[in-house]
Amino acid sequence: MQGHEYGFRYVDVHSHAHEYSPEELEAILASAPLHIVIVSDDLETSRRTLDYWRRFRGRVTPCLGVHPWSVKSREAVEEARKTVELALENGVQCLGEVGLDTKFVGETIELQRSVFQVFLEAARDHNLILNLHTAGTWEEVLSLLERYDIGYANFHWYTGPLHLIPRIADHGYTISINPAIRIQKKHQNVVANAPLEIMLTESDAPYEYKGIKMSPTLVREVVEHIARIKGLDAGHVAETIRSTFEKKWLKR
Ligand SMILES: [Zn+2]
């Protein structure tokens, strides 16, 4: 991926930063040596993500996609195709936020599967990264990645079954750890049981979870939580995560 000449120490691999104003995003990027992956929710926010990629070149990485929560009718399939086209035209190497959700929006699961298929085929044919939403569908999504022979994908805010973690690791896929780690037991358990080498950090900003206002500036705290749970030095954790991100995302 071109344009990552800015040094960074922390990485947020899943942030809806298109929801910020340019001034807000500028201030966040100025506050810490941080690289932010911006995920999109639909075609419109994908365009805004592209705009921010141009504005903040080298400091953010774009992912274009149609979020499972944005899938409301058959038209979403066509919207997914257009989003893929937009990504390919612009040399974007990541599709997200994409995936399947039976936990919060199970009533649209059949439509979601049709939409996700568009993204899976594009990722397979063009070697694109998938930035994944997998609430309640961890195993189904992992099996689809295997069936489509997807090269690399990140499971955002992983709270899935622990027994899938070795399979995720075997494929070289990653899971990202969210500021919810402060209070969410299931997420703390994932960190205790997964190898550091498959972990990345994220914020899912500006989402709010049980009183935690997600922000990319919280990834430093996430690193500290991971270090504490695993009994490791925070500097070592930060550097391992930075290096995993560089390998999987920037130098592919
Ligand atoms: Zn998200």
Side-chain angles (χ1 to χ4, degrees), residues 14-16 39 41 67 97 133 156-157 202 204-205 207:
H14 187 107
S15 165
H16 300 259
V39 291
D41 305 323
H67 192 295
E97 178 166 355
H133 178 107
H156 132 71
W157 197 339
E202 63 150 82
D204 206 18
Y207 190 71

Side-chain angles (χ1 to χ4, degrees), residues 97-206:
E97 178 166 355
V98 297
L100 300 175
D101 185 330
T102 51
K103 195 172 165 199
F104 301 101
V105 289
E107 65 281 3
T108 59
I109 189 64
E110 277 313 318
L111 267 179
Q112 291 179 48
R113 288 189 177 112
S114 307
V115 168
F116 190 39
Q117 191 186 334
V118 173
F119 291 117
L120 284 165
E121 285 170 1
R124 176 197 61 201
D125 296 346
H126 303 281
N127 189 29
L128 304 175
I129 295 171
L130 292 174
N131 205 327
L132 293 168
H133 178 107
T134 53
T137 59
W138 305 281
E139 183 142 31
E140 177 177 352
V141 171
L142 182 54
S143 298
L144 284 166
L145 299 182
E146 289 168 344
R147 194 184 318 153
Y148 282 82
D149 198 21
I150 299 301
Y152 169 63
N154 178 63
F155 287 74
H156 132 71
W157 197 339
Y158 188 80
T159 55
L162 298 178
H163 76 264
L164 294 181
I165 289 173
R167 232 167 104 195
I168 290 171
D170 276 353
H171 293 292
Y173 302 152
T174 52
I175 59 174
S176 50
I177 310 304
N178 182 277
I181 186 79
R182 204 190 281 171
I183 51 172
Q184 194 182 30
K185 292 278 178 298
K186 218 189 279 178
H187 209 35
Q188 294 166 356
N189 234 340
V190 164
V191 169
N193 285 280
L196 177 62
E197 289 64 35
I198 71 157
M199 281 183 216
L200 295 171
T201 45
E202 63 150 82
S203 70
D204 206 18

